[in-house]
């Protein structure tokens, strides 16, 4: 297997993203191409989750956020939703020990109120088990949507105003961000979506404001180490400007 290692290409840790966010898409189409039921694609996709978690941990990436199930995905056929919920539970039960051994801190973001008690318990246990780990922070977005996140943060902020603890006129970005699901973590530097779709699909709307976006036609179950490396190389070649000019950024970097 010929691989392209960004470090071998002279790309040091400074050009690696701190936080990668991924929309793992294309499981259904992968299955369809193989004349298999959609559920077979979801099953196969678990292997790609393992691959990307290992690849990020190996490279010292600090945070990985994976979109596993969106709020809008409840509208899918009931059998598919049921299969996905079972798959989450099984994958969690079979993977958590290994994640813990590898110092991964597992967290979940999303509403999650509609999940089964069994799944909620397993998620809470995995979270507690790995809470003090200091390696890769792995956020799994389940029953998540970016609009839901912004709305729930707004409600919590509004309650503070109602209680007289905060003045509406003085609300800052920091006041707002403290209530968002990913508070305390760096914003994603690199976003990856597989399957050729070039949209955000209600993922991290607030946090993706300045994220570099990478799209690949590869379907999620076909993910390889090379695709991850290609995304990292793409990232290392971007000049992030955050509204400044390119020249300003260059002089900042050389200072
Ligand atoms: C992503 O793959 C998995 C989930 C949304 C849970 P899809 O199931 O969306 O696959 P396609 O887009 O139909 O190929
Ligand atoms: C987004 O994928 C959600 C997840 C990958 C979990 P979808 O496949 O549901 O998104 P759309 O509907 O094609 O935009
Ligand atoms: Mg899809």
């Amino acid at each position: 297997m010929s691989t392209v290692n960004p470090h071998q290409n002279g790309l040091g840790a400074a050009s690696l993203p701190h936080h990668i966010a991924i929309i793992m898409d294309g499981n259904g189409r992968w299955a369809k191409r193989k004349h298999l039921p959609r559920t077979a694609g979801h099953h196969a996709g678990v292997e790609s989750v393992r691959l990307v978690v290992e690849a990020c941990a190996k490279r010292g990436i600090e945070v990985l956020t994976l979109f596993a199930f969106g709020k809008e995905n409840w509208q899918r056929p009931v059998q598919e939703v049921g299969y996905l919920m079972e798959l989450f539970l099984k994958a969690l039960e079979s993977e958590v020990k290994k994640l813990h051994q590898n110092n991964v801190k597992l967290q979940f973001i999303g509403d999650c109120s509609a999940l089964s008690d069994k799944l909620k318990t397993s998620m809470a246990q995995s979270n507690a088990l790995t809470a003090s780990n200091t390696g890769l922070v792995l956020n799994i977005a389940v029953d998540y949507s970016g609009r839901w996140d912004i709305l729930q943060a707004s409600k919590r902020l509004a309650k503070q105003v109602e209680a007289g603890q905060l003045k509406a006129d003085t609300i800052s970005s920091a006041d707002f961000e403290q209530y968002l699901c990913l508070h305390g973590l760096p914003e994603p530097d690199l976003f990856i979506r597989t399957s050729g779709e070039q949209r955000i699909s209600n993922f991290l709307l607030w946090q993706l404001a300045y994220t570099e976006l990478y799209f690949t036609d590869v379907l999620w179950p076909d993910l390889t180490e090379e695709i991850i490396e290609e995304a990292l190389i793409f990232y290392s070649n971007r000049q992030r400007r955050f509204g400044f000019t390119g020249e300003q950024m260059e002089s900042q970097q050389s200072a």
Side-chain angles (χ1 to χ4, degrees):
M1 193 167 74
S2 76
T3 57
V4 192
N5 182 333
H7 293 294
Q8 281 168 3
N9 284 359
L11 307 169
S15 51
L16 275 178
H18 296 278
H19 183 171
I20 303 180
I22 305 183
I23 297 190
M24 311 182 287
D25 198 15
N27 294 350
R29 279 163 283 171
W30 180 91
K32 199 171 179 188
R33 280 185 197 170
K34 295 188 162 359
H35 308 286
L36 294 168
R38 292 179 56 83
T39 50
H42 297 315
H43 185 264
V46 176
E47 193 47 52
S48 301
V49 174
R50 268 189 217 113
L51 178 87
V52 77
V53 170
E54 278 169 26
C56 288
K58 187 168 81 183
R59 289 173 174 80
I61 304 284
E62 290 152 46
V63 188
L64 174 64
T65 301
L66 301 176
F67 202 5
F69 190 85
K71 276 216 155 284
E72 284 77 21
N73 293 136
W74 290 111
Q75 300 169 99
R76 292 192 176 194
V78 67
Q79 296 88 340
E80 181 171 343
V81 171
Y83 182 88
L84 280 166
M85 295 300 147
E86 273 300 308
L87 189 66
F88 293 152
L89 187 64
K90 278 192 200 144
L92 203 54
E93 285 172 353
S94 67
E95 299 298 317
V96 71
K97 265 197 193 140
K98 205 173 113 200
L99 291 171
H100 182 43
Q101 280 161 7
N102 288 315
N103 202 20
V104 173
K105 182 174 180 172
L106 185 57
Q107 309 189 136
F108 299 91
I109 59 166
D111 181 356
C112 297
S113 56
L115 303 179
S116 72
D117 288 343
K118 211 171 165 192
L119 185 53
K120 278 191 274 197
T121 304
S122 180
M123 285 160 63
Q125 284 170 347
S126 313
N127 185 223
L129 177 73
T130 63
S132 55
N133 286 348
T134 54
L136 175 73
V137 175
L138 174 59
N139 302 304
I140 310 281
V142 184
D143 193 13
Y144 180 85
S145 95
R147 286 182 181 170
W148 166 82
D149 199 1
I150 290 170
L151 203 57
Q152 65 82 25
S154 309
K155 286 179 191 169
R156 289 162 73 185
L157 212 52
K159 280 190 184 143
Q160 266 202 295
V161 175
E162 261 176 12
Q165 294 156 345
L166 194 67
K167 286 214 179 325
D169 282 343
T170 66
I171 294 173
S172 64
S173 283
D175 291 328
F176 183 75
E177 279 168 4
Q178 67 175 319
Y179 291 121
L180 289 172
C181 287
L182 291 179
H183 68 95
L185 294 172
E187 286 178 1
D189 304 293
L190 173 64
F191 162 97
I192 301 172
R193 183 171 187 153
T194 56
S195 90
E197 307 303 345
Q198 302 200 359
R199 54 180 174 256
I200 304 296
S201 298
N202 214 348
F203 195 23
L204 305 163
L205 299 179
W206 174 280
Q207 299 87 342
L208 291 175
Y210 270 103
T211 305
E212 301 298 329
L213 308 178
Y214 185 78
F215 299 98
T216 170
D217 287 341
V218 165
L219 303 174
W220 181 251
D222 287 331
L223 186 83
T224 60
E225 185 89 25
E226 283 88 344
I227 304 298
I228 300 167
E229 282 159 2
E230 272 170 30
L232 291 173
I233 288 167
F234 158 86
Y235 176 78
S236 70
N237 287 322
R238 309 313 312 154
Q239 184 194 41
R240 305 187 73 191
R241 290 196 280 272
F242 303 99
F244 292 90
T245 66
E247 291 74 17
Q248 282 177 303
M249 296 312 288
E250 277 161 27
S251 65
Q252 261 183 39
Q253 275 151 15
S254 57

